[in-house]
Amino acid sequence: MNLMIKLDAVRVRVRTLFIVAGLTALAATFPSMAAQPDKAPPPADGPTSMARARVAADVLMRSYDPVKAWFPSSWWNSAVALQTIGDYMERTGDRRYLGQLDNTFEKDKGVFPAGVLSGDPLLGNFTSRAIDDSEWWGLTWIQAYDLTRNPKYLDMAVKIATYVNGYWDTSTCGGGVWWDGERTYKNAVTNGLWIRLTAELHNRIPGDSLWLGRSKTAWAWFQNSGMINADGLVNDGLTNACTNNNGTVWAYNQGLAIGGGLELFRATRDPKILTSVKRLADAAISPKGLNKAGVLTEACDALDQTCDDNGKQFKGIFARYWTDLVDTTHDRTYAAFLEDQAESIWNHDRDAANRLGTRWSGATSDDHPNVFDWRTQASALSALVGDVPRFTPIESMAGTLSPAQPVVMPAASGTTTIPVTLSASATGFFPLLALANVDAPAGWTATPRSSLVRLLPRGNANPVGTTVPLKIIVPSSAKDGHQFVTVNLTAAGLRFTAQADFLIAHKIDFDTGTVDENPWLFDPDGSQSNGVQNRFADGNAHFTYRFPFPADTTAAHVTLTIDAEFLVQASSDNQTWTTVLQEANPVTDGSNKADRTIDLTPFLGTATNGAKPVYLKVSDAFPNDGWGGRVYHVTADIAQ
């Protein structure tokens, strides 16, 4: 049977060669036909879902800091992001990021003072006074154990769980794990994590009864704690009088209650547990729950609010355990909801650089824009991972364009040429030959319009890739605004669409921390943004803007609204830097906030491809105290 399947696959590949050859000949004869875009979104089949997840995972891992072995400025969030990458590797067979998991394990398992990796001192073995933070790391290392079967990861999870068990306390509210070392609060997240962590340990330790007993006790206590309200929704925690505090129904609390129950059900096969889990799930997607027009929506996703750095990852945690629900129950209603989340994210909550935002509906507003950062990327990635079939597709194909968000500032006459690289990747067990067709706006020129892409994958563990250089020629008459260049990759049974979002701009004027900033932000390198008018780089982080001034520019000045301990440097080539602005004193209260104008005329070089680019880097003048340069607004004056 296996031989026949392989022979059939070979026949399909042979037919593919003839089909693609025919398409190529047709494209060469009728180039305008080859350039026509397919307006329908790619089908959300298994190979497409896997390709989407790969593209999104790669974007997330660009934010991983290999030196500190985390994602910048967030301790528990880093644990969740790494577990999400583990989920991705387990689901797809891709194993490229095992090294990063181990790097974090080895570098960050020690003792650290407050402020190095967490606001709290780290006590060793990924534990701290934040009990829930410790539990997140325990789950992360169990995921690493599942991927590698290396016992050191499971041993670490046992150490973490043993530490957490010291905070199970029956003297208050009859049980439950305290949220913090000071024992001030019993809440849903800490106890949902505890149920899942203890059940996972039982399901991986042969002959265990200890962790199973703890998990069953925790589940029974949680079910009767009062945190689950009459609608089947999980409120945040308990009052000092041990009653439901009616706190916000956050997606991660609901998801953890579902996930904890599912893991315990696997351990016990008790149908009553699965019945309780389904009640929690049905409540979550009911009109009273977290379902707004078919999209998972957090309370802070409202257009008059902004989720904080914690809330940005809550929906992804829900999606992780919802995926477990789908895999366990095979319920079509639950599966359809998960598929809807992945489709909404990919079609509405993604920019051209394949960054995924915090609102899965894609909704945005001027005062509270949809935020894109590594936390929102990790969160949305969980839904994309869940959309990959449990039985890994035997092949996939993806494509991306770089730069994905180029800025063009046209000269008064002439054209601007933007070199763009198509990167194609594939997994599978057979050679793959794809046709790449480029579609550009009217009046623009793309070279080549069509090309063949050859890929030779050898399994799923290490996706193979290749690149195709493209040239996009933009006329001087191009109108201000966003214009899209699209590349459709097509092979037998496989297709993927990549886009580049060209911003045509005759002026520079944007707030930081917004979608308007993104095209100008050439290199964020670990910088952070916590909302509108807030881009900062502390420590060794920096961020760099690229201003592609028109070829006929004779003078240019940029004005930064900036404060704190800034160091600003300019360059014409992104290699040789000159300091143009620097705060000489330690300033940690924003008292030096001001508009400061920098003359960039000396950095205007010879025009290349219709532009005179200048790079402006903002970093930290005092990198040891954590108060780096912060920019609020950027404008420029140009003389032509």
Side-chain angles (χ1 to χ4, degrees):
M1 177 66 74
N2 289 337
L3 177 60
M4 292 301 296
I5 292 173
K6 291 181 178 180
L7 289 174
D8 286 342
V10 171
R11 293 188 189 102
V12 169
R13 287 299 173 200
V14 172
R15 289 198 299 271
T16 301
L17 296 178
F18 286 106
I19 292 169
V20 172
L23 289 171
T24 305
L26 184 63
T29 306
F30 302 105
S32 61
M33 181 180 295
Q36 292 300 313
D38 186 351
K39 300 301 183 183
D45 54 14
T48 300
S49 296
M50 191 158 87
R52 291 175 176 180
R54 179 165 71 251
V55 166
D58 290 346
V59 171
L60 172 60
M61 290 307 293
R62 289 179 201 142
S63 295
Y64 177 81
D65 179 353
V67 177
K68 295 185 78 171
W70 71 334
F71 291 87
S73 301
S74 290
W75 180 236
W76 82 266
N77 304 71
S78 290
V80 173
L82 285 169
Q83 188 183 356
T84 302
I85 286 296
D87 292 341
Y88 161 76
M89 290 192 286
E90 183 176 21
R91 197 82 171 185
T92 65
D94 188 342
R95 294 295 186 265
R96 288 173 298 151
Y97 296 120
L98 288 175
Q100 284 85 338
L101 282 174
D102 195 62
N103 183 51
T104 299
F105 182 88
E106 295 298 340
K107 286 186 176 179
D108 292 349
K109 64 185 176 182
V111 176
F112 295 90
V116 176
L117 291 174
S118 170
D120 300 316
L122 298 181
L123 308 176
N125 296 324
F126 301 92
T127 62
S128 73
R129 60 165 290 281
I131 308 306
D132 56 336
D133 289 12
S134 307
E135 292 170 308
W136 287 120
W137 284 105
L139 291 175
T140 298
W141 299 129
I142 292 177
Q143 173 63 283
Y145 170 75
D146 288 347
L147 284 165
T148 65
R149 293 297 161 182
N150 189 325
K152 71 177 182 180
Y153 297 124
L154 188 60
D155 291 345
M156 179 62 74
V158 170
K159 291 177 183 177
I160 293 169
T162 301
Y163 169 78
V164 173
N165 188 61
Y167 290 91
W168 175 271
D169 183 2
T170 58
S171 67
T172 302
C173 303
V177 178
W178 290 103
W179 171 64
D180 55 355
E182 295 77 19
R183 302 179 180 238
T184 64
Y185 187 36
K186 288 189 175 178
N187 63 354
V189 60
T190 312
N191 287 283
L193 282 162
W194 181 239
I195 297 164
R196 181 80 188 197
L197 178 59
T198 50
E200 285 197 8
L201 287 176
H202 167 75
N203 287 335
R204 288 156 180 80
I205 299 175
D208 168 74
S209 59
L210 176 66
W211 296 110
L212 176 61
R214 288 170 174 171
S215 189
K216 290 167 69 175
T217 299
W219 174 258
W221 175 85
F222 182 77
Q223 291 292 301
N224 294 292
S225 67
M227 279 185 277
I228 304 174
N229 65 33
D231 295 319
L233 298 171
V234 180
N235 293 106
D236 193 65
L238 299 177
T239 66
N240 290 336
C242 299
T243 61
N244 188 316
N245 65 8
N246 295 311
T248 302
V249 177
W250 295 112
Y252 79 150
N253 285 333
Q254 197 78 17
L256 279 164
I258 292 168
L262 287 169
E263 191 71 17
L264 185 57
F265 168 72
R266 271 190 289 278
T268 64
R269 293 297 164 180
D270 182 348
K272 294 179 181 179
I273 295 176
L274 192 58
T275 298
S276 297
V277 166
K278 289 181 177 180
R279 177 173 179 261
L280 290 163
D282 294 340
I285 59 175
S286 72
K288 291 184 178 181
L290 300 160
N291 181 356
K292 306 300 181 188
V295 178
L296 184 65
T297 303
E298 209 72 77
C300 59
D301 284 333
L303 288 178
D304 61 351
Q305 297 185 44
T306 298
C307 294
D308 65 16
D309 283 347
N310 293 320
K312 291 173 182 176
Q313 284 186 267
F314 289 173
K315 293 193 296 293
I317 294 161
F318 179 97
R320 168 180 296 129
Y321 297 118
W322 195 267
T323 300
D324 189 359
L325 178 71
V326 173
D327 292 344
T328 303
T329 65
H330 308 289
D331 187 298
R332 185 57 203 158
T333 299
Y334 300 150
F337 184 76
L338 183 59
E339 291 165 7
D340 289 345
Q341 306 320 298
E343 286 299 304
S344 186
I345 289 166
W346 193 258
N347 294 323
H348 305 297
D349 187 37
R350 176 178 61 99
D351 66 13
N354 295 302
R355 301 185 315 149
L356 311 174
T358 187
R359 294 190 187 101
W360 291 2
S361 68
T364 190
S365 67
D366 291 339
D367 292 333
H368 298 275
N370 197 18
V371 176
F372 295 77
D373 64 18
W374 67 261
R375 298 173 187 84
T376 69
Q377 189 77 19
S379 181
L381 173 60
S382 282
L384 299 185
V385 169
D387 197 41
V388 177
R390 193 72 183 107
F391 296 101
T392 306
I394 62 170
E395 60 181 358
S396 71
M397 175 182 66
T400 60
L401 294 176
S402 179
Q405 296 176 305
V407 179
V408 178
M409 302 185 73
S413 62
T415 60
T416 302
T417 301
I418 306 295
V420 174
T421 300
L422 167 64
S423 296
S425 64
T427 60
F429 301 89
F430 302 99
L432 187 152
L433 191 60
L435 180 64
N437 284 330
V438 184
D439 177 65
W444 295 31
T445 302
T447 306
R449 298 297 292 268
S450 300
S451 57
L452 282 177
V453 178
R454 294 176 173 85
L455 293 159
L456 299 173
R458 289 177 172 80
N460 292 338
N462 288 286
V464 300
T466 190
T467 59
V468 178
L470 307 172
K471 284 188 178 180
I472 309 299
I473 300 174
V474 183
S476 60
S477 59
K479 300 284 175 83
D480 278 7
H482 292 269
Q483 304 283 349
F484 291 90
V485 170
T486 302
V487 176
N488 291 306
L489 276 170
T490 308
L494 299 173
R495 59 184 300 161
F496 202 87
T497 299
Q499 275 193 328
D501 179 0
F502 282 67
L503 174 62
I504 309 301
H506 285 83
K507 66 176 183 179
I508 299 170
D509 187 354
F510 60 86
D511 286 332
T512 60
T514 67
V515 293
D516 293 333
E517 178 196 30
N518 292 339
W520 306 93
L521 192 60
F522 176 75
D523 176 16
D525 193 44
S527 69
Q528 297 291 300
S529 174
N530 287 333
V532 179
Q533 294 193 329
N534 195 331
R535 167 76 56 187
F536 62 94
D538 63 319
N540 296 315
H542 70 263
F543 54 97
T544 303
Y545 296 115
R546 182 181 186 271
F547 304 123
F549 294 115
D552 53 1
T553 301
T554 58
H557 296 78
V558 66
T559 299
L560 306 179
T561 305
I562 192 170
D563 69 6
E565 299 171 352
F566 53 79
L567 172 64
V568 183
Q569 298 170 293
S571 173
S572 60
D573 59 5
N574 195 38
Q575 295 180 2
T576 303
W577 296 93
T578 301
T579 298
V580 292
L581 201 63
Q582 184 172 1
E583 174 56 60
N585 301 303
V587 178
T588 61
D589 58 3
S591 59
N592 62 341
K593 180 179 178 181
D595 292 343
R596 293 175 170 85
T597 299
I598 303 167
D599 184 6
L600 297 182
T601 306
F603 302 96
L604 293 170
T606 303
T608 303
N609 293 328
K612 294 180 178 178
V614 176
Y615 300 84
L616 200 68
K617 180 195 296 184
V618 181
S619 54
D620 191 346
F622 297 88
N624 293 324
D625 68 0
W627 292 90
R630 177 169 52 185
V631 175
Y632 299 81
H633 191 80
V634 179
T635 59
D637 294 318
I638 306 168
Q640 293 176 267

